[in-house]
Amino acid sequence: MVDVSKWPEYKKNFDGNCVLAGAGGTGKTYTIMKDRGFINIRYITPMHTLGVEIRNKYGINYDTMHKFIGKGCISRREESHSVPSVILIDELTMHDESDIKKAIEMYPECLIFVAGDIDKKQWYQCRNGTDGQMNDLWMPQDWRYVFFETDFRSLDNDLRKFKLDVREKMRVVFSNGGIADAEKINNWVKSNYETINMEDAILQFKQGDIWISGTHATNKKLLERGIISGYIKDKKIAESGEARGSFTIHSFQGLTIEDKTVYISMDNFEYAMFIQRFRE
């Protein structure tokens, strides 16, 4: 006889493919990685930086989406002639809809989770691209959604409430998530919270601080003023390389910033940019 008294309660949330929906820090990735019922997981990411962090943290193999589906290269399936049991495609809004559809088509025998901050009506996380040229989002109406709502990342209740307030405002102003919606969010923040001008921020900036902006134009202005937030090498945040006055939020997508003073420019051209900077 097998003693099952200490077994965890069975949950049917993950019976079959589904969307893991919720803000950063609500446990989407953690839940899958720590579930002992899932074996041979392959983590799919838009960038190597995040993949390396997940591999080091959980001991899980990863691929960039391009490698996984063979976009401009030999696909992982063709190269290894093997498939994982479980696929977790993370940072949904950073992938083009066509790439996610291709991954689902290429690996029909796998259990597939796609994680991102969307619902069936809108998104709350940065897309990939530039103003007027954003990627098309995969927002399925026929997939099951498992929602994650508890904020485990914020370390105090004030920050937790602030993020919820901004998110609620995003629901109110949303039309297409573009620059007009971004301006509404910017104006709401400036009207309801204390902000400082760029000149004062430059005077306050100290070595070791990080500046996050929406556009590369801000990076150029800060470099001209002698501000260095860090370095980029091979398109990754590094200890040395190309100096950056500021980083775009895409550089930190899915990563956690700890024990740093962070400056945030209000140069958003997409409405999810502002709140995204408080999730990482």
Side-chain angles (χ1 to χ4, degrees):
M1 179 176 291
V2 178
D3 180 11
V4 298
S5 61
K6 296 183 180 180
W7 286 18
E9 180 183 355
Y10 171 72
K11 297 179 181 180
K12 62 180 181 179
N13 279 347
F14 307 123
D15 281 356
N17 298 346
C18 63
V19 176
L20 310 180
T26 54
K28 302 185 297 296
T29 302
Y30 178 89
T31 297
I32 301 303
M33 297 300 178
K34 287 296 187 178
D35 192 318
R36 291 180 296 175
F38 299 138
I39 58 174
N40 191 18
I41 302 172
R42 176 71 63 166
Y43 181 77
I44 310 303
T45 172
M47 54 194 174
H48 284 290
T49 309
L50 181 54
V52 170
E53 182 179 87
I54 293 298
R55 183 183 62 194
N56 293 342
K57 187 174 183 178
Y58 298 107
I60 299 295
N61 290 324
Y62 81 92
D63 280 316
T64 61
M65 176 63 86
H66 284 189
K67 179 62 179 177
F68 194 60
I69 64 174
K71 190 172 183 178
C73 59
I74 299 175
S75 72
R76 176 63 64 188
R77 182 164 196 153
E78 293 174 296
E79 184 176 83
S80 65
H81 303 290
S82 63
V83 297
S85 300
V86 179
I87 296 168
L88 172 57
I89 301 174
D90 203 4
E91 304 297 336
L92 181 160
T93 60
M94 292 291 290
H95 300 287
D96 192 79
E97 177 182 32
S98 61
D99 291 343
I100 293 179
K101 286 183 174 179
K102 181 66 174 179
I104 295 169
E105 176 187 321
M106 284 183 65
Y107 297 88
E109 63 272 74
C110 301
L111 175 61
I112 300 177
F113 301 122
V114 186
D117 196 4
I118 68 168
D119 55 31
K120 293 187 178 183
K121 298 179 180 179
Q122 66 188 90
W123 58 93
Y124 306 89
Q125 190 173 22
C126 290
R127 295 171 291 171
N128 195 22
T130 59
D131 183 23
Q133 296 180 325
M134 302 304 238
N135 61 303
D136 294 325
L137 289 191
W138 183 76
M139 298 177 64
Q141 301 299 303
D142 56 343
W143 274 47
R144 186 165 47 87
Y145 283 62
V146 178
F147 289 96
F148 292 73
E149 298 178 339
T150 302
D151 182 356
F152 296 106
R153 184 171 291 166
S154 299
L155 300 181
D156 63 76
N157 290 328
D158 288 341
L159 179 58
R160 203 170 281 118
K161 181 180 183 303
F162 172 72
K163 289 161 67 176
L164 289 173
D165 289 346
V166 177
R167 190 183 181 87
E168 185 57 36
K169 188 64 179 178
M170 292 171 71
R171 291 192 178 98
V172 173
V173 308
F174 180 79
S175 61
N176 63 8
I179 194 167
D181 292 351
E183 198 58 35
K184 292 175 185 176
I185 293 294
N186 289 345
N187 291 335
W188 177 81
V189 172
K190 292 173 183 177
S191 298
N192 289 274
Y193 296 91
E194 183 179 353
T195 60
I196 61 174
N197 62 48
M198 189 171 186
E199 286 300 317
D200 289 340
I202 288 174
L203 292 174
Q204 292 179 18
F205 191 93
K206 304 183 300 297
Q207 183 177 359
D209 295 345
I210 293 175
W211 199 305
I212 297 179
S213 62
T215 67
H216 292 291
T218 299
N219 166 59
K220 182 179 179 181
K221 291 178 182 178
L222 292 173
L223 285 175
E224 290 171 351
R225 297 294 301 274
I227 297 294
I228 297 179
S229 288
Y231 302 90
I232 288 284
K233 186 174 183 179
D234 298 328
K235 299 182 179 181
K236 305 171 189 175
I237 298 173
E239 294 297 321
S240 62
E242 178 190 347
R244 298 302 302 266
S246 62
F247 293 100
T248 64
I249 187 56
H250 291 162
S251 301
F252 287 99
Q253 194 89 1
L255 303 179
T256 299
I257 302 172
E258 295 182 352
D259 302 323
K260 299 281 187 180
T261 298
V262 180
Y263 292 82
I264 296 175
S265 289
M266 303 288 284
D267 57 347
N268 309 318
F269 56 83
E270 183 184 18
Y271 94 133
M273 279 183 166
F274 181 80
I275 187 61
Q276 187 68 26
R277 297 164 188 176
F278 290 90
R279 292 176 176 164
E280 310 308 327

